[in-house]
Coordinates of all heavy atoms in Angstrom, one line a residue:
G299 N 12.8 -13.5 12.1 CA 13.0 -14.8 12.7 C 13.5 -15.9 11.7 O 13.5 -15.7 10.5
E300 N 13.9 -17.0 12.3 CA 14.3 -18.2 11.5 C 14.4 -19.3 12.5 O 14.6 -19.2 13.7 CB 15.7 -18.0 10.9 CG 16.8 -17.7 11.8 CD 18.2 -17.5 11.1 OE1 18.4 -18.2 10.2 OE2 19.0 -16.7 11.6
D301 N 14.2 -20.6 12.0 CA 14.4 -21.8 12.7 C 13.6 -21.8 14.0 O 14.1 -22.2 15.1 CB 15.9 -22.0 13.0 CG 16.7 -22.2 11.8 OD1 16.1 -22.7 10.8 OD2 17.9 -21.8 11.8
G302 N 12.4 -21.3 14.0 CA 11.5 -21.3 15.2 C 11.8 -20.3 16.2 O 11.3 -20.4 17.3
Y303 N 12.7 -19.3 15.9 CA 13.0 -18.3 16.9 C 12.6 -16.9 16.3 O 13.1 -16.5 15.2 CB 14.5 -18.3 17.2 CG 14.9 -17.4 18.3 CD1 15.1 -17.9 19.6 CD2 15.2 -16.1 18.1 CE1 15.5 -17.1 20.7 CE2 15.6 -15.2 19.1 CZ 15.7 -15.7 20.4 OH 16.1 -14.9 21.4
W304 N 11.7 -16.2 17.0 CA 11.2 -14.9 16.4 C 11.4 -13.8 17.5 O 11.2 -14.0 18.7 CB 9.8 -15.1 16.0 CG 9.6 -15.9 14.8 CD1 9.6 -17.3 14.8 CD2 9.6 -15.5 13.5 NE1 9.5 -17.8 13.5 CE2 9.5 -16.7 12.7 CE3 9.6 -14.3 12.8 CZ2 9.4 -16.7 11.3 CZ3 9.5 -14.2 11.5 CH2 9.4 -15.4 10.7
T305 N 11.6 -12.6 17.0 CA 11.6 -11.4 17.8 C 10.7 -10.4 17.1 O 10.4 -10.5 15.9 CB 13.0 -10.8 18.0 OG1 13.6 -10.7 16.7 CG2 13.9 -11.8 18.8
Q306 N 10.3 -9.4 17.9 CA 9.4 -8.4 17.3 C 9.8 -7.0 17.8 O 10.4 -6.9 18.9 CB 7.9 -8.7 17.7 CG 7.6 -8.4 19.2 CD 6.2 -8.7 19.5 OE1 5.5 -9.6 19.0 NE2 5.6 -7.9 20.5
F307 N 9.4 -6.0 17.1 CA 9.5 -4.6 17.5 C 8.5 -3.8 16.8 O 8.0 -4.2 15.7 CB 10.9 -4.1 17.3 CG 11.4 -4.0 15.9 CD1 11.2 -2.8 15.2 CD2 11.9 -5.1 15.3 CE1 11.6 -2.8 13.9 CE2 12.3 -5.1 13.9 CZ 12.2 -3.9 13.2
N308 N 8.2 -2.6 17.3 CA 7.3 -1.7 16.6 C 8.0 -1.0 15.6 O 9.2 -0.7 15.7 CB 6.7 -0.7 17.7 CG 5.6 0.1 17.1 OD1 5.9 1.1 16.4 ND2 4.3 -0.2 17.3
S309 N 7.4 -0.6 14.5 CA 8.1 0.0 13.4 C 8.7 1.4 13.8 O 9.5 1.9 13.1 CB 7.1 0.2 12.2 OG 6.1 1.1 12.6
S310 N 8.3 2.0 14.9 CA 8.8 3.3 15.3 C 10.0 3.1 16.3 O 10.6 4.0 16.8 CB 7.7 4.2 16.0 OG 7.2 3.5 17.1
A311 N 10.2 1.8 16.7 CA 11.2 1.5 17.8 C 12.6 2.0 17.5 O 13.3 2.5 18.3 CB 11.2 0.1 18.2
W312 N 13.0 1.7 16.2 CA 14.4 2.0 15.9 C 14.7 3.5 15.9 O 15.7 4.0 16.1 CB 14.8 1.4 14.5 CG 14.0 1.9 13.4 CD1 14.1 3.0 12.7 CD2 13.0 1.1 12.7 NE1 13.2 3.1 11.7 CE2 12.5 1.9 11.7 CE3 12.5 -0.2 12.9 CZ2 11.5 1.4 10.8 CZ3 11.5 -0.6 12.1 CH2 11.0 0.2 11.0
T313 N 13.6 4.3 15.6 CA 13.7 5.8 15.6 C 14.0 6.3 17.0 O 14.7 7.2 17.2 CB 12.5 6.4 15.0 OG1 12.2 5.9 13.7 CG2 12.6 7.9 14.9
H314 N 13.3 5.7 18.0 CA 13.3 6.2 19.4 C 14.3 5.5 20.3 O 14.8 6.1 21.2 CB 11.9 6.2 20.0 CG 10.9 6.9 19.1 ND1 11.0 8.3 18.9 CD2 9.8 6.5 18.5 CE1 10.0 8.6 18.1 NE2 9.3 7.6 17.9
S315 N 14.6 4.2 20.0 CA 15.4 3.5 21.0 C 16.4 2.6 20.3 O 16.9 1.7 20.9 CB 14.5 2.6 21.9 OG 13.8 1.6 21.1
G316 N 16.7 2.9 19.1 CA 17.8 2.1 18.4 C 17.4 0.7 18.0 O 18.2 -0.1 17.8
G317 N 16.1 0.5 18.0 CA 15.6 -0.8 17.5 C 15.7 -1.9 18.5 O 16.1 -3.0 18.2
E318 N 15.3 -1.7 19.7 CA 15.3 -2.7 20.8 C 14.4 -3.9 20.4 O 13.2 -3.7 20.1 CB 14.9 -2.1 22.1 CG 14.9 -3.2 23.2 CD 14.4 -2.6 24.5 OE1 14.1 -1.4 24.5 OE2 14.3 -3.3 25.5
L319 N 14.9 -5.1 20.5 CA 14.1 -6.3 20.2 C 13.4 -6.8 21.4 O 13.9 -6.8 22.5 CB 15.0 -7.4 19.6 CG 15.7 -7.1 18.2 CD1 16.6 -8.3 17.9 CD2 14.6 -7.0 17.2
I320 N 12.2 -7.4 21.2 CA 11.4 -7.9 22.3 C 11.2 -9.4 22.0 O 10.7 -9.8 20.9 CB 10.1 -7.2 22.4 CG1 10.2 -5.7 22.5 CG2 9.2 -7.8 23.5 CD1 8.9 -5.0 22.3
E321 N 11.7 -10.3 22.8 CA 11.5 -11.7 22.6 C 10.0 -12.0 22.8 O 9.3 -11.6 23.7 CB 12.3 -12.5 23.6 CG 13.8 -12.5 23.3 CD 14.6 -13.5 24.2 OE1 13.9 -14.2 24.9 OE2 15.8 -13.5 24.0
L322 N 9.5 -12.9 21.9 CA 8.1 -13.2 21.9 C 7.8 -14.1 23.1 O 6.6 -14.2 23.5 CB 7.7 -13.9 20.6 CG 7.6 -13.0 19.4 CD1 7.2 -13.9 18.2 CD2 6.7 -11.9 19.6
S323 N 8.7 -14.9 23.6 CA 8.5 -15.8 24.7 C 9.7 -16.0 25.5 O 10.8 -15.9 25.1 CB 8.1 -17.2 24.0 OG 8.0 -18.2 25.0
D324 N 9.4 -16.3 26.8 CA 10.6 -16.5 27.7 C 11.0 -18.0 27.6 O 12.0 -18.3 28.2 CB 10.1 -16.3 29.2 CG 9.9 -14.8 29.4 OD1 10.6 -14.0 28.7 OD2 9.0 -14.4 30.2
G325 N 10.3 -18.9 26.9 CA 10.7 -20.3 26.9 C 10.5 -20.9 25.5 O 9.6 -21.6 25.3
F326 N 11.4 -20.6 24.6 CA 11.4 -21.2 23.3 C 11.8 -22.7 23.4 O 12.6 -23.0 24.2 CB 12.4 -20.5 22.4 CG 11.9 -19.1 21.9 CD1 12.3 -18.0 22.6 CD2 11.1 -19.0 20.9 CE1 11.9 -16.7 22.2 CE2 10.6 -17.7 20.4 CZ 11.0 -16.6 21.1
C327 N 11.2 -23.5 22.6 CA 11.5 -24.9 22.6 C 11.8 -25.4 21.2 O 11.5 -24.8 20.2 CB 10.2 -25.7 23.0 SG 9.6 -25.3 24.6
R328 N 12.5 -26.5 21.1 CA 12.6 -27.2 19.9 C 11.3 -28.0 19.6 O 10.6 -28.3 20.6 CB 13.8 -28.3 19.9 CG 15.2 -27.7 20.0 CD 16.2 -28.8 20.0 NE 17.5 -28.4 20.2 CZ 18.3 -28.0 19.1 NH1 17.8 -28.0 17.9 NH2 19.5 -27.6 19.4
Y329 N 11.0 -28.3 18.4 CA 9.9 -29.2 18.1 C 10.2 -30.1 17.0 O 10.9 -29.7 16.0 CB 8.6 -28.4 17.9 CG 8.6 -27.5 16.7 CD1 8.3 -27.9 15.4 CD2 9.0 -26.2 16.8 CE1 8.3 -27.1 14.3 CE2 9.0 -25.3 15.8 CZ 8.7 -25.7 14.5 OH 8.7 -24.9 13.4
D330 N 9.9 -31.4 17.2 CA 10.2 -32.4 16.2 C 8.9 -33.0 15.8 O 8.2 -33.7 16.6 CB 11.1 -33.5 16.8 CG 11.5 -34.5 15.9 OD1 11.0 -34.5 14.7 OD2 12.4 -35.4 16.2
R331 N 8.5 -32.8 14.5 CA 7.3 -33.3 14.0 C 7.1 -34.9 14.1 O 6.0 -35.4 14.2 CB 7.1 -32.9 12.6 CG 6.9 -31.4 12.4 CD 6.7 -31.0 11.0 NE 5.4 -31.6 10.4 CZ 4.9 -31.2 9.3 NH1 5.6 -30.4 8.5 NH2 3.8 -31.7 8.8
S332 N 8.3 -35.6 14.2 CA 8.2 -37.0 14.2 C 7.7 -37.6 15.5 O 7.3 -38.7 15.6 CB 9.6 -37.6 13.9 OG 10.5 -37.3 15.0
V333 N 7.6 -36.7 16.6 CA 7.2 -37.3 17.9 C 5.8 -36.9 18.2 O 5.3 -37.2 19.2 CB 8.1 -36.8 19.0 CG1 9.5 -37.3 18.8 CG2 8.1 -35.3 19.1
F334 N 5.1 -36.2 17.3 CA 3.7 -35.8 17.5 C 2.8 -37.1 17.5 O 2.9 -37.9 16.6 CB 3.2 -34.8 16.4 CG 3.9 -33.5 16.4 CD1 3.8 -32.7 15.3 CD2 4.7 -33.1 17.5 CE1 4.4 -31.5 15.3 CE2 5.3 -31.9 17.4 CZ 5.2 -31.1 16.3
T335 N 2.0 -37.2 18.5 CA 1.1 -38.4 18.5 C -0.3 -38.0 18.8 O -1.2 -38.0 17.9 CB 1.5 -39.4 19.7 OG1 1.6 -38.7 20.9 CG2 2.9 -39.9 19.3
E336 N -0.7 -37.5 19.9 CA -2.0 -37.1 20.3 C -2.6 -36.1 19.3 O -3.8 -36.2 19.0 CB -2.1 -36.6 21.7 CG -1.8 -37.7 22.8 CD -2.0 -37.1 24.2 OE1 -2.8 -36.1 24.3 OE2 -1.4 -37.6 25.1
R337 N -1.9 -35.1 19.0 CA -2.4 -34.0 18.2 C -1.8 -33.9 16.8 O -1.6 -32.8 16.3 CB -2.2 -32.7 19.0 CG -2.8 -32.6 20.4 CD -4.3 -32.8 20.3 NE -4.9 -31.7 19.6 CZ -5.2 -30.5 20.1 NH1 -4.9 -30.3 21.4 NH2 -5.8 -29.6 19.4
R338 N -1.5 -35.0 16.2 CA -0.8 -35.1 15.0 C -1.5 -34.3 13.9 O -0.9 -33.4 13.2 CB -0.6 -36.5 14.5 CG 0.0 -36.6 13.1 CD 1.3 -37.2 13.1 NE 2.0 -37.0 11.8 CZ 3.2 -37.2 11.6 NH1 4.0 -37.7 12.5 NH2 3.8 -37.1 10.4
N339 N -2.8 -34.5 13.7 CA -3.6 -33.8 12.7 C -3.6 -32.3 12.9 O -3.4 -31.5 11.9 CB -5.0 -34.3 12.7 CG -5.1 -35.8 12.2 OD1 -4.2 -36.2 11.5 ND2 -6.2 -36.4 12.5
A340 N -3.8 -31.9 14.1 CA -3.8 -30.4 14.4 C -2.5 -29.8 14.2 O -2.3 -28.7 13.6 CB -4.3 -30.2 15.8
A341 N -1.4 -30.5 14.6 CA -0.1 -30.0 14.5 C 0.3 -29.9 13.0 O 0.9 -28.9 12.6 CB 0.9 -30.8 15.2
D342 N 0.0 -30.9 12.2 CA 0.4 -30.9 10.8 C -0.4 -29.7 10.1 O 0.2 -29.0 9.3 CB 0.0 -32.2 10.2 CG 1.0 -33.3 10.4 OD1 2.1 -32.9 10.9 OD2 0.8 -34.5 10.1
A343 N -1.7 -29.6 10.4 CA -2.5 -28.5 9.8 C -1.9 -27.2 10.2 O -1.8 -26.3 9.3 CB -3.9 -28.6 10.3
F344 N -1.5 -27.0 11.4 CA -1.0 -25.7 11.9 C 0.3 -25.4 11.2 O 0.5 -24.3 10.7 CB -0.7 -25.8 13.4 CG -0.2 -24.5 14.0 CD1 -1.0 -23.5 14.4 CD2 1.2 -24.4 14.1 CE1 -0.4 -22.3 14.9 CE2 1.8 -23.2 14.7 CZ 0.9 -22.2 15.0
L345 N 1.2 -26.4 11.1 CA 2.5 -26.1 10.5 C 2.4 -25.9 9.0 O 3.2 -25.2 8.4 CB 3.5 -27.2 10.8 CG 3.9 -27.3 12.3 CD1 4.8 -28.6 12.5 CD2 4.7 -26.1 12.7
F346 N 1.4 -26.5 8.4 CA 1.1 -26.3 6.9 C 0.8 -24.8 6.7 O 1.2 -24.2 5.7 CB 0.0 -27.2 6.4 CG -0.5 -26.9 5.1 CD1 0.3 -27.1 3.9 CD2 -1.7 -26.3 4.9 CE1 -0.2 -26.8 2.7 CE2 -2.2 -26.0 3.7 CZ -1.4 -26.2 2.5

Side-chain angles (χ1 to χ4, degrees):
E300 60 177 325
D301 298 328
Y303 187 97
W304 290 84
T305 51
Q306 71 178 34
F307 65 95
N308 189 282
S309 61
S310 61
W312 60 76
T313 302
H314 303 297
S315 62
E318 178 182 359
L319 292 176
I320 306 168
E321 291 190 358
L322 290 180
S323 170
D324 292 328
F326 287 95
C327 302
R328 292 182 183 275
Y329 58 91
D330 183 354
R331 294 181 64 172
S332 66
V333 298
F334 296 164
T335 55
E336 292 183 24
R337 303 298 298 277
R338 173 114 194 171
N339 290 339
D342 281 349
F344 179 87
L345 291 174
F346 169 72

